[in-house]
Amino acid sequence: MLKQFGLTMAAGAILSTGFPTEDVGAQSKGKSLLDPNRIINVAHRGASGYAPEHTMPAYEMGHKKFKADYIEIDLQMTKDGQLIAMHDETVDRTTDGTGAVKDKTLEEIKKLDAGSWFNEVNPSLARKEYAGLKVPTLEEIFSTYGKHANYYIETKSPEVYPGMEEKLLNTLKAYDLSSDRVKPGQVLIQSFSEASLQKVKDMDPNVPLIQLMEANEVKALTDDRLTAIRQYAVGVGPSFKALTRENVSAIRAHDLLLHPYTVNEKADMVRMIDYGVTGVFTNYADRFNDVVKGLYKK
């Protein structure tokens, strides 16, 4: 793999330990969200380890209680062109309904129970207030948090939803969150689809973009591919399971931020930071806070 990237260990010398060396408070407040020396905590689908994913309680817990750097929002689009927060293309897993999001109007989506499933799957974390939770729209999330939060937004299955990128950028603009109105990195747009990211870049060249990658893509990475990604993106979001010290060094050597998903166990969090990642997606933002604080104290 090292020969494939054509790197020497010197290229990753700054990552020799990977561990942060400053006080955690100063680090989190004093560096830009896009600073490669800042370790980012992304609340994956909100605090989804403790509350129903992509619901307002999950976002509230991740943002206010655990103080994650970002609220992560997966986007799907309804039959009538409304952007909603949901991971899957269908409503089956996380609501009491069935069928594709693209075949339902927002009114139909709003009739669904998006919380009771969590109580059934996680009885030890069940709360009566989770029953009957509604699927939030992107506008409802922006209305709630405005500029008081940072947003990590994914265009999910954009090939299924023509015009999703334009709708997203128009919604950001409507809520004063477009690239010319926010601090650098306050809004990041991510996708597994390079075509979707390129569409966003064509419409707004200043929006920071993140290229998501499955494990097999990470294992097949080449120097040329990383160079190409850097032409349109500021970072990559790979499956953490495919990362090694060597390919992390290769990615970082291309001046790319590195935010792997979904890192939930403390041992994996420590290992990722040791490798030199610049943040993680996690269902347990509190757990990652504890890991980072512990490393700063060493």
Side-chain angles (χ1 to χ4, degrees), residues 132-230:
L133 286 174
K134 301 304 178 186
V135 176
T137 65
L138 183 63
E139 290 199 47
E140 287 169 341
I141 299 167
F142 288 166
S143 293
T144 300
Y145 298 108
K147 289 192 174 183
H148 298 292
N150 305 316
Y151 305 97
Y152 214 126
I153 305 172
E154 180 178 350
T155 57
K156 298 289 291 186
S157 307
E159 66 281 357
V160 177
Y161 307 112
M164 170 182 271
E165 295 85 4
E166 184 176 9
K167 181 74 174 181
L168 168 57
L169 291 177
N170 286 340
T171 305
L172 287 167
K173 184 176 181 180
Y175 285 85
D176 212 27
L177 292 167
S178 52
S179 64
D180 59 337
R181 299 296 180 89
V182 296
K183 61 189 177 184
Q186 185 166 5
V187 176
L188 291 175
I189 297 178
Q190 60 177 337
S191 187
F192 284 98
S193 169
E194 179 181 342
S196 182
L197 294 177
Q198 294 285 10
K199 287 179 184 177
V200 172
K201 188 172 182 64
D202 287 344
M203 288 182 277
D204 186 346
N206 297 316
V207 177
L209 305 175
I210 303 291
Q211 178 67 61
L212 292 171
M213 292 186 290
E214 302 280 6
N216 61 336
E217 295 177 82
V218 180
K219 293 175 182 178
L221 272 175
T222 63
D223 183 77
D224 286 347
R225 176 57 180 151
L226 288 169
T227 299
I229 290 172
R230 189 64 185 90

Side-chain angles (χ1 to χ4, degrees), residues 4-26:
Q4 181 181 18
F5 285 109
L7 296 175
T8 65
M9 292 309 293
I14 59 170
L15 308 175
S16 57
T17 66
F19 291 128
T21 56
E22 300 175 37
D23 175 74
V24 68

Side-chain angles (χ1 to χ4, degrees), residues 123-136:
S124 65
L125 297 170
R127 295 185 184 181
K128 61 181 180 180
E129 59 266 31
Y130 291 165
L133 286 174
K134 301 304 178 186
V135 176

Side-chain angles (χ1 to χ4, degrees), residues 234-254:
V234 300
V236 295
S239 168
F240 87 94
K241 295 178 181 179
L243 290 179
T244 64
R245 191 179 302 277
E246 186 175 273
N247 59 26
V248 167
S249 293
I251 292 166
R252 292 294 307 277
H254 282 77

